[in-house]
Amino acid sequence: MARTTKTQAVVLRSLRFGEADRVLHLYALDRGRIGAIAKGVRKTKSRFGARLEPLSHVELMLHRGSGELHTVTGVELVRSHHETREDPYRLGVALVGAEAMLRLFAEPEANARAFEALTRFLDLTDGLEARPGRPAHDPLAISFQLKLLWLSGYLPHLESCAECGEAEGLVGYSPQAGGAVCASCANGARRLGASTFAAIEGLLRRPLAEAGEVGVGEREARETLGLVTASYEFHGGFRLRTLS
């Protein structure tokens, strides 16, 4: 089996290592989440350094030795996403999505649909217009996280009460019940308004490019993000630092 392979990947995180190296957290098209070391990229004369910035979509040559980390031996840019990294609002949206990807898809298992969603999300952030409020409340950031929950199998059941099956009068979300709950079953549940349920349905039904066309106001954004965060905590046991 060849030890050097080519793959497309997105750089989700980059950490300094030693005097001139970086350890990269990557999500690759054909192998899922992997780690790699890029040697010497912090040197001013490095050929690879500018191509391996966080959020970059790249084509990599990776060599697998005896350790856990691959070694980057070649890099070609597919999309740099410079426009996103240079704008604070866009960067805030993108970092939420990148961390969600890191935490929800943490295994070296290929998921082409998740990779496609990630690259599409980052393409859209390049042209994103700033909105009032926090970047984490942007419809694109919320839509992407909902779709990742769905792709990872953690999306709550939201079409009827998870306790009694009632389809009308849903008023909240209970991680313990596994989804939405009606007024009769809502003891201790996180409250959600009818407009929030409608916004979630719209964000799930529409492609990422149409997230901004869904009626997501400040209340709907806050409540939907609360549902997403509660799902992370209950199913994965984690919180996103980018949402703090």
Side-chain angles (χ1 to χ4, degrees):
M1 182 176 179
R3 284 181 172 269
T4 300
T5 57
K6 179 187 290 187
T7 186
Q8 284 195 40
V10 172
V11 182
L12 297 177
R13 183 177 292 169
S14 174
L15 305 172
R16 292 185 177 187
F17 184 77
E19 293 185 1
D21 304 340
R22 283 192 177 275
V23 171
L24 308 174
H25 293 228
L26 307 167
Y27 196 82
L29 173 60
D30 61 352
R31 62 194 70 187
R33 167 81 176 277
I34 57 174
I37 187 166
K39 295 184 177 180
V41 295
R42 288 162 51 206
K43 295 180 179 178
T44 56
K45 295 183 180 180
S46 170
R47 294 177 297 146
F48 299 159
R51 305 176 193 175
L52 291 171
E53 292 291 329
L55 309 179
S56 294
H57 179 183
V58 292
E59 187 173 76
L60 297 173
M61 294 297 294
L62 296 172
H63 178 77
R64 183 63 184 267
S66 58
E68 293 184 1
L69 295 176
H70 297 72
T71 299
V72 177
T73 59
V75 187
E76 293 295 335
L77 268 175
V78 179
R79 293 288 298 271
S80 71
H81 298 300
H82 173 82
E83 298 92 338
T84 291
R85 283 196 302 275
E86 295 302 308
D87 180 87
Y89 185 86
R90 294 172 183 168
L91 180 61
V93 171
L95 290 179
V96 170
E99 188 182 3
M101 195 80 191
L102 272 169
R103 302 306 298 268
L104 287 171
F105 294 88
E107 300 300 324
E109 299 174 357
N111 188 321
R113 296 181 76 180
F115 182 83
E116 181 182 356
L118 173 62
T119 55
R120 181 60 176 148
F121 166 72
L122 291 174
D123 287 348
L124 290 168
T125 62
D126 281 347
L128 194 62
E129 296 293 332
R131 294 163 56 103
R134 298 170 55 200
H137 287 180
D138 191 279
L140 179 59
I142 295 172
S143 178
F144 182 58
Q145 290 177 89
L146 287 170
K147 286 175 168 54
L148 289 187
L149 284 174
W150 175 65
L151 288 168
S152 64
Y154 289 151
L155 184 70
H157 175 78
L158 299 171
E159 297 178 357
S160 61
C161 180
E163 292 281 16
C164 69
E166 176 61 48
E168 302 295 330
L170 302 177
V171 299
Y173 163 63
S174 169
Q176 293 77 12
V181 288
C182 66
S184 299
C185 303
N187 185 33
R190 178 183 293 271
R191 294 282 173 165
L192 302 178
S195 61
T196 299
F197 279 107
I200 293 172
E201 180 185 3
L203 291 171
L204 286 169
R205 185 177 66 251
R206 293 182 180 228
L208 285 170
E210 298 177 9
E213 300 174 20
V214 179
V216 182
E218 184 64 22
R219 175 186 173 180
E220 291 80 17
R222 184 177 63 254
E223 292 183 349
T224 303
L225 200 57
L227 177 148
V228 169
T229 299
S231 296
Y232 291 155
E233 292 178 348
F234 185 77
H235 294 291
F238 63 83
R239 278 175 166 262
L240 298 191
R241 287 183 290 179
T242 47
L243 294 179
S244 299

